[in-house]
């Protein structure tokens, strides 16, 4: 894509073939305007690796918690929304790690609970700083992505059978934890611990998030069609008990009500749809 030096650019980039188990997608944004561009990122329950070029981007997790991205930053699993700002001459390239990919790189997804953090701090060396230096020399975004992929491959651990079963489980009528536990003759507690260790969240957490995400997607479709919202239909389709439970989830994940989301949804980035 040719860059317009007077605009804000942002777009999603598919992963190269063969990397679909590691990354869900890459995301690029560049601010060539003279103003700060501010966006809100929805929770994704993924860990993201942010490479920042030019003027550092700013992450804001609350009114009193702000930080610059630096050259390279790990963040996640992202369980609540946060605000990020790109000052003029700021560019970011974001690798969205999929499922257990963080565990396969760093050995324990529970480390993610202490993020944001520099990935070099987790490895006790400067290999990601060295990676950033090489990426900064590459002008083409797709070549940068290829370089990241090739850099990561030697560090990737093999999946174990239990995690493969949990990742590929698709029968919505069955409990994945109970089913996998029975298949491997293990206790449900042991499977739950493995789930938390490898993904950074529990099966219960991800089920709640997926319900919320379905509500978000329905509201986005309604907003795109300029249609009127039937809240009872949203509640029924997403399996909420009532409107108060729907509101609680929105306040939990993005700190605003469903009605408030409709008013600002153009400034909110959905990493599952970008």
């Amino acid at each position: 894509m040719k860059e317009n030096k007077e605009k804000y650019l942002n777009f999603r980039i598919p992963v190269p073939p063969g990397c679909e188990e590691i990354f869900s997608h890459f995301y690029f944004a560049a601010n060539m305007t003279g103003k700060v561009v501010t966006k809100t990122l929805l929770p994704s329950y993924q860990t993201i690796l942010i490479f920042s070029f030019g003027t550092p981007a700013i992450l804001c997790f609350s009114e009193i918690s702000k930080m610059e991205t630096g050259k390279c930053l790990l963040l996640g699993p992202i369980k609540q929304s946060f605000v990020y700002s790109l000052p003029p001459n700021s560019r970011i390239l974001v690798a969205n790690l999929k499922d257990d990919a963080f565990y396969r790189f760093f050995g324990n997804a529970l480390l993610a609970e202490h993020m944001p953090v520099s990935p070099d701090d987790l490895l006790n060396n400067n290999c990601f700083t060295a990676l950033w230096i090489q990426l900064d020399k590459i002008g083409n975004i797709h070549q940068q992505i290829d370089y990241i992929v090739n850099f990561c491959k030697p560090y990737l651990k093999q999946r174990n059978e239990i995690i493969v079963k949990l990742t590929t489980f698709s029968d919505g009528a069955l409990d994945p934890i109970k089913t996998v536990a029975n298949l491997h003759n293990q206790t449900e507690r042991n499977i739950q611990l493995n789930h938390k260790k490898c993904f950074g969240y529990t099966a219960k957490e991800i089920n709640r998030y997926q319900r919320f995400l379905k509500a978000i997607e329905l509201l986005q479709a309604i907003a795109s069609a300029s249609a009127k919202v039937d809240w009872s239909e949203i509640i029924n389709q997403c399996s909420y008990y009532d409107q108060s439970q729907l509101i609680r989830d929105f306040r939990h994940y993005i700190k605003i009500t469903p009605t408030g989301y409709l008013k600002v949804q153009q400034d909110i980035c959905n990493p599952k749809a970008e």
Side-chain angles (χ1 to χ4, degrees):
M1 177 178 292
K2 186 177 180 180
E3 296 185 355
N4 186 321
K5 295 187 180 299
E6 296 179 352
K7 291 187 177 181
Y8 171 71
L9 298 177
N10 65 309
F11 49 89
R12 180 184 178 121
I13 307 166
V15 300
C19 301
E20 293 85 358
E21 284 188 358
I22 309 169
F23 305 102
S24 63
H25 65 285
F26 289 82
Y27 176 77
F28 175 78
N31 183 12
M32 279 78 71
T33 72
K35 300 179 180 179
V36 175
V37 175
T38 298
K39 299 284 184 179
T40 298
L41 184 72
L42 286 179
S44 64
Y45 274 74
Q46 290 179 271
T47 298
I48 60 175
L49 179 59
I50 307 172
F51 295 96
S52 180
F53 306 96
T55 306
I58 306 296
L59 307 181
C60 181
F61 304 101
S62 68
E63 292 182 359
I64 59 174
S65 177
K66 296 181 181 181
M67 67 178 299
E68 291 187 348
T69 52
K71 293 180 173 64
C72 185
L73 191 70
L74 270 167
L75 179 64
I78 301 172
K79 299 180 181 181
Q80 292 183 311
S81 65
F82 67 89
V83 174
Y84 67 94
S85 298
L86 271 64
N89 302 314
S90 177
R91 293 176 289 123
I92 57 171
L93 177 60
V94 182
N96 291 262
L97 299 176
K98 189 176 180 180
D99 298 328
D100 61 331
F102 179 88
Y103 169 80
R104 295 174 69 186
F105 282 126
F106 296 99
N108 191 339
L110 295 178
L111 291 171
E113 294 182 352
H114 303 291
M115 293 183 180
V117 67
S118 166
D120 285 342
D121 291 343
L122 297 180
L123 299 175
N124 294 319
N125 64 46
N126 295 323
C127 63
F128 276 89
T129 298
L131 171 61
W132 179 92
I133 291 171
Q134 294 303 314
L135 294 175
D136 195 39
K137 298 175 182 178
I138 302 172
N140 182 278
I141 298 167
H142 295 282
Q143 290 177 1
Q144 287 181 323
I145 290 173
D146 288 340
Y147 198 95
I148 292 170
V149 169
N150 290 327
F151 171 86
C152 292
K153 282 181 179 178
Y155 300 98
L156 196 65
K157 300 179 180 67
Q158 292 293 321
R159 278 177 162 175
N160 65 53
E161 189 178 353
I162 290 175
I163 298 307
V164 171
K165 289 283 195 337
L166 289 171
T167 303
T168 58
F169 195 89
S170 59
D171 191 337
L174 298 176
D175 183 330
I177 298 296
K178 184 175 182 178
T179 303
V180 173
N182 289 335
L183 283 172
H184 291 272
N185 196 28
Q186 295 193 23
T187 66
E188 292 183 36
R189 177 60 177 165
N190 190 47
I191 301 300
Q192 288 170 345
L193 291 173
N194 271 280
H195 193 292
K196 178 75 171 180
K197 176 183 177 181
C198 295
F199 297 112
Y201 48 79
T202 65
K204 184 177 180 180
E205 284 181 285
I206 197 64
N207 287 338
R208 180 184 181 185
Y209 165 71
Q210 289 171 343
R211 180 181 63 185
F212 161 76
L213 185 61
K214 184 175 181 180
I216 285 287
E217 291 170 346
L218 290 172
L219 288 176
Q220 287 176 334
I222 291 169
S224 298
S226 300
K228 184 178 179 180
V229 179
D230 184 340
W231 292 109
S232 61
E233 184 66 19
I234 298 289
I235 291 166
N236 290 333
Q237 287 198 41
C238 300
S239 302
Y240 283 103
Y241 294 122
D242 51 29
Q243 190 167 353
S244 63
Q245 189 185 32
L246 172 69
I247 292 171
R248 280 198 299 274
D249 267 11
F250 269 71
R251 289 193 182 279
H252 172 76
Y253 288 115
I254 58 177
K255 304 178 181 69
I256 55 177
T257 65
T259 303
Y261 169 77
L262 284 173
K263 295 177 181 178
V264 299
Q265 55 96 18
Q266 289 184 337
D267 292 323
I268 295 180
C269 295
N270 183 354
K272 298 295 186 180
E274 280 286 339

